[in-house]
């Protein structure tokens, strides 16, 4: 069933383009039509439709990569989002990104310039494609993560600019799209290099090669060990050839026998 769905989105990828256009259109309406955000029930339905349409749009990319890579990079992006959300929320009041939002937008604009230039280098100069895209992704990700910290402060409140309490759905949608931007950029590595699968395959291949090498060398090593340290033959029964036989052995010097005891002198019968 999974392979069938994968083939469908590979063949009918233009469906994902339609759902993406609808999701962006609904998101724009949700942002600028303020009354829509305050209608209970309707705001939740529209937010749900935006999220689901974006997820369906993602299937055009998901269908062309492996599940292990998908989950691996999803975990990395989710971890980055959590870390920068926490950092933005706990920053002291002196570091108020909502107050210095002009500096934030200037930095974002500079990072965008660098990223666009590096992407053009990637397409024009194939030799630099990997490194150019890597640095472009880094600059774009840093820019988005700075805005994640900014959005964390506006959502958390107690800053110069903050969201209203009934704008929770809008804040959630903004953070969701921040995550999508970072996650979309990882599909280049997933599709081009199959990063996680290649890492597992390389480790498994090294282990298999080591095992095969060990199995190939084990008989030879045992033969070498046998030839280097031969087992001593069990000596045959009987006297060792190097030892003299009893017949050839020299008789030992006879021990001197004790002299016979002298007869006691005869006693005098007259006595």
């Amino acid at each position: 069933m999974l392979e069938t769905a994968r083939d469908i989105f590979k063949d009918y990828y233009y469906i994902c383009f339609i759902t993406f256009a609808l999701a962006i259109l609904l998101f724009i309406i949700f942002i600028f039509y303020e009354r829509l955000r305050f209608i209970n029930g309707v705001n939740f339905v529209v937010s749900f439709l935006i999220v689901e349409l974006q997820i369906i749009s993602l299937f055009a990319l998901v269908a062309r990569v492996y599940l292990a890579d998908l989950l691996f990079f999803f975990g990395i992006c989710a971890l980055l989002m959590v870390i920068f959300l926490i950092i933005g929320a706990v920053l002291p009041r002196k570091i108020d990104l909502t107050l210095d939002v002009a500096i934030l937008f200037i930095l974002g604009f500079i990072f965008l310039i660098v990223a666009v230039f590096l992407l053009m280098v990637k397409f024009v100069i194939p030799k630099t494609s990997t490194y150019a895209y890597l640095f472009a992704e880094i600059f774009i990700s840093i820019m988005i993560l700075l805005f994640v910290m900014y959005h964390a402060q506006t959502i958390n409140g107690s800053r110069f600019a903050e969201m209203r309490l009934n704008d929770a759905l809008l804040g959630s949608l903004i953070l969701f799209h921040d995550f999508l931007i970072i996650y979309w950029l990882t599909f280049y590595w997933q599709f081009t290099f199959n990063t996680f699968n290649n890492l597992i395959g390389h480790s498994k291949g090294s282990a298999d090669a080591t095992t095969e090498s060990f199995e190939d060398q084990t008989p030879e090593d045992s033969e070498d060990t046998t030839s280097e340290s031969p087992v001593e033959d069990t000596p045959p029964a009987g006297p060792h050839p190097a030892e003299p036989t009893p017949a050839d052995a020299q008789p030992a010097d006879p021990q001197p026998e004790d002299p016979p005891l002298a007869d006691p002198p005869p006693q005098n019968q007259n006595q």
Side-chain angles (χ1 to χ4, degrees):
M1 184 176 180
L2 184 61
E3 292 299 326
T4 303
R6 185 189 295 270
D7 294 336
I8 290 174
F9 283 101
K10 280 183 179 180
D11 297 335
Y12 304 99
Y13 58 89
Y14 50 85
I15 296 176
C16 299
F17 294 161
I18 297 173
T19 57
F20 179 76
L22 290 175
I24 294 299
L25 180 61
L26 284 176
F27 190 42
I28 293 173
I29 294 173
F30 193 80
I31 292 174
F32 291 103
Y33 191 59
E34 187 175 351
R35 185 178 299 178
L36 179 62
R37 302 201 303 267
F38 301 146
I39 301 176
N40 294 330
V42 176
N43 54 1
F44 180 81
V45 171
V46 174
S47 300
F48 180 78
L49 285 176
I50 293 172
V51 172
E52 290 303 318
L53 288 172
Q54 287 288 18
I55 292 175
I56 294 173
S57 305
L58 198 62
F59 289 166
L61 303 175
V62 171
R64 289 166 170 79
V65 297
Y66 292 99
L67 181 61
D69 292 325
L70 190 74
L71 297 177
F72 177 71
F73 283 101
F74 180 89
I76 292 177
C77 295
L79 182 62
L80 288 174
M81 287 289 297
V82 171
I83 291 173
F84 280 86
L85 280 172
I86 294 174
I87 293 174
V90 302
L91 281 176
R93 293 179 180 270
K94 294 180 180 179
I95 309 176
D96 191 349
L97 298 177
T98 64
L99 181 61
D100 301 325
V101 65
I103 298 176
L104 190 63
F105 276 96
I106 291 171
L107 285 175
F109 182 67
I110 292 174
F111 287 166
L112 182 62
I113 293 172
V114 176
V116 171
F117 173 77
L118 290 173
L119 285 177
M120 292 302 101
V121 170
K122 173 195 178 303
F123 290 113
V124 175
I125 308 175
K127 292 182 180 179
T128 63
S129 61
T130 301
Y131 299 103
Y133 184 85
L134 174 63
F135 285 105
E137 181 181 1
I138 290 174
F139 278 103
I140 295 175
S141 299
I142 291 174
M143 178 182 67
I144 297 301
L145 290 173
L146 288 175
F147 280 101
V148 167
M149 295 170 63
Y150 168 78
H151 294 145
Q153 291 188 351
T154 58
I155 294 171
N156 190 45
S158 300
R159 304 285 176 167
F160 178 77
E162 58 184 15
M163 285 187 177
R164 289 169 290 191
L165 294 177
N166 50 4
D167 273 338
L169 292 174
L170 176 61
S172 302
L173 288 174
I174 291 173
L175 292 178
F176 175 71
H177 284 84
D178 288 339
F179 170 79
L180 282 181
I181 294 172
I182 299 174
Y183 191 46
W184 285 335
L185 294 172
T186 64
F187 278 88
Y188 172 79
W189 309 108
Q190 298 182 45
F191 180 75
T192 307
F193 298 102
N194 296 330
T195 311
F196 191 74
N197 280 340
N198 286 339
L199 182 63
I200 295 177
H202 178 72
S203 302
K204 186 178 179 181
S206 300
D208 293 341
T210 304
T211 305
E212 292 176 359
S213 175
F214 179 76
E215 291 176 353
D216 293 340
Q217 293 179 2
T218 300
E220 298 177 1
D221 294 342
S222 60
E223 291 177 2
D224 294 343
T225 305
T226 305
S227 60
E228 291 177 0
S229 56
V231 180
E232 295 181 0
D233 297 333
T234 304
H240 195 276
E243 296 179 358
T245 56
D248 298 335
Q250 296 292 333
D253 295 336
Q255 295 293 332
E257 297 179 356
D258 294 335
L261 295 176
D263 296 332
Q267 296 180 357
N268 189 357
Q269 298 179 355
N270 294 327
Q271 295 178 358

